[in-house]
């Protein structure tokens, strides 16, 4: 083999800055998607637990559709087909504000929310039913009972699977490079194209993804240990 390893080429200068820029975009799209995923997943899970049949059917269809179709197909769907289903005003706003980034966020959000909704539903089902009945008996509405009594306990129970889903979202964010989002994977691919040092570029990207995942997992576990475990019910 005549291959000459050159780690300094990837870690310094213009290409090193590309890596840094890619990390920033990866963190941004992952953070935004995780927030929207938790919100959407919670809404879908509560709709699934309601007795209102249209909500129940919609949430069931949402989970089954997005959970059982490939993420890459969904990314292409939102990128190439959003104009056909979103209002014209929304599409114009997205095109004026980094449409590729928005399409990536939407794709990651709806896909991961389908899994998170099932995790939340499992957490809700683990709560004794008499707690909901007792909450309603005290005068709380259905939504108030879920907000103040059921969901806080459910989230405490499902911290481990939520960590897994968050890590999966961060890793899945690498797929948005296919629609031109300049994340870490995109930048590593660009460095490989310009320098033909693909081994170094993708090794650095792999290590960075590993570090991000470990840090996120550690932070959530620390939050769970030092805050959630102090809650008494």
């Amino acid at each position: 083999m005549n291959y000459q390893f050159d780690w300094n080429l990837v870690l310094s200068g213009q290409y090193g800055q590309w890596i840094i820029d890619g990390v920033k975009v990866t963190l941004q799209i992952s953070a935004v998607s995780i927030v929207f995923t938790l919100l959407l997943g919670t809404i879908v899970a509560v709709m699934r637990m309601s007795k209102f049949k249209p909500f129940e059917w919609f949430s069931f269809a949402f989970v089954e559709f997005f959970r059982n179709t490939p993420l890459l197909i969904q990314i292409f769907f939102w990128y190439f087909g959003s104009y056909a289903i979103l209002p014209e005003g929304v599409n114009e706003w997205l095109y004026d504000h980094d449409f590729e980034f928005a399409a990536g966020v939407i794709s990651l959000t709806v896909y991961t929310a389908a899994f998170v909704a099932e995790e939340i539903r499992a957490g809700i089902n683990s709560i004794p039913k008499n707690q909901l009945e007792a909450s309603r008996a005290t005068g709380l509405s259905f939504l108030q009972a879920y907000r103040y009594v059921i969901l806080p306990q459910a989230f405490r129970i499902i911290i481990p699977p939520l960590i897994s889903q968050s890590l999966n979202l961060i890793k899945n964010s690498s797929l948005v490079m296919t629609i031109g989002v300049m994340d870490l994977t995109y930048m590593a691919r660009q460095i490989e194209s310009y320098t033909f040092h693909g081994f170094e570029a993708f090794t650095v990207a792999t290590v960075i993804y590993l570090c991000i995942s470990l840090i996120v997992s550690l932070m959530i576990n620390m939050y769970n240990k030092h805050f959630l475990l102090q809650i008494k019910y």
Side-chain angles (χ1 to χ4, degrees):
M1 291 181 59
N2 294 322
Y3 188 85
Q4 298 294 322
F5 292 96
D6 189 353
W7 296 99
N8 188 59
L9 178 68
V10 177
L11 297 174
S12 63
Q14 178 185 15
Y15 301 129
Q17 185 61 46
W18 287 7
I19 291 291
I20 294 174
D21 293 340
V23 172
K24 291 179 181 178
V25 173
T26 293
L27 292 177
Q28 289 172 355
I29 198 169
S30 299
V32 174
S33 299
I34 287 173
V35 171
F36 283 120
T37 291
L38 290 175
L39 292 174
L40 181 59
T42 301
I43 292 172
V44 172
V46 173
M47 290 174 65
R48 186 76 178 272
M49 301 302 296
S50 71
K51 302 301 181 181
F52 188 54
K53 289 300 181 182
F55 283 175
E56 187 177 354
W57 294 337
F58 170 81
S59 60
F60 175 79
F62 178 93
V63 169
E64 295 304 318
F65 177 82
F66 288 108
R67 190 173 60 169
N68 293 294
T69 52
L71 175 57
L72 186 58
I73 297 298
Q74 294 183 34
I75 292 174
F76 287 147
F77 171 80
W78 290 108
Y79 182 68
F80 293 108
S82 64
Y83 68 91
I85 59 175
L86 295 179
E88 183 178 352
V90 175
N91 282 319
E92 291 179 355
W93 186 89
L94 291 177
Y95 280 112
D96 292 336
H97 297 81
D98 197 346
F99 176 73
E100 290 80 8
F101 186 92
V105 168
I106 294 172
S107 306
L108 292 170
T109 296
V110 296
Y111 177 79
T112 312
F115 293 91
V116 169
E118 286 298 281
E119 303 291 355
I120 295 175
R121 188 168 72 94
I124 293 173
N125 284 330
S126 67
I127 306 299
K129 295 184 182 299
N130 57 9
Q131 294 208 24
L132 178 60
E133 297 169 357
S135 302
R136 298 299 303 276
T138 62
L140 296 179
S141 67
F142 176 82
L143 292 180
Q144 288 175 329
Y146 267 83
R147 178 182 177 184
Y148 296 111
V149 180
I150 305 301
L151 286 178
Q153 298 181 75
F155 274 104
R156 182 185 179 186
I157 294 170
I158 63 173
I159 285 295
L162 283 183
I163 293 175
S164 296
Q165 294 301 335
S166 298
L167 298 181
N168 285 335
L169 187 151
I170 294 171
K171 291 180 289 185
N172 287 336
S173 69
S174 62
L175 293 176
V176 299
M177 66 160 289
T178 58
I179 57 173
V181 178
M182 293 184 287
D183 69 330
L184 177 58
T185 306
Y186 180 97
M187 291 303 188
R189 181 67 181 86
Q190 287 294 99
I191 293 173
E192 190 278 333
S193 298
Y194 278 80
T195 67
F196 299 102
H197 283 266
F199 181 85
E200 293 94 323
F202 286 105
T203 298
V204 170
T206 300
V207 172
I208 292 175
Y209 275 115
L210 177 61
C211 291
I212 293 174
S213 297
L214 291 176
I215 291 172
V216 170
S217 179
L218 177 62
M219 291 176 60
I220 298 177
N221 278 318
M222 289 178 61
Y223 177 81
N224 185 41
K225 178 180 179 180
H226 295 290
F227 292 93
L228 294 183
L229 292 181
Q230 297 177 12
I231 300 176
K232 305 297 182 182
Y233 296 107

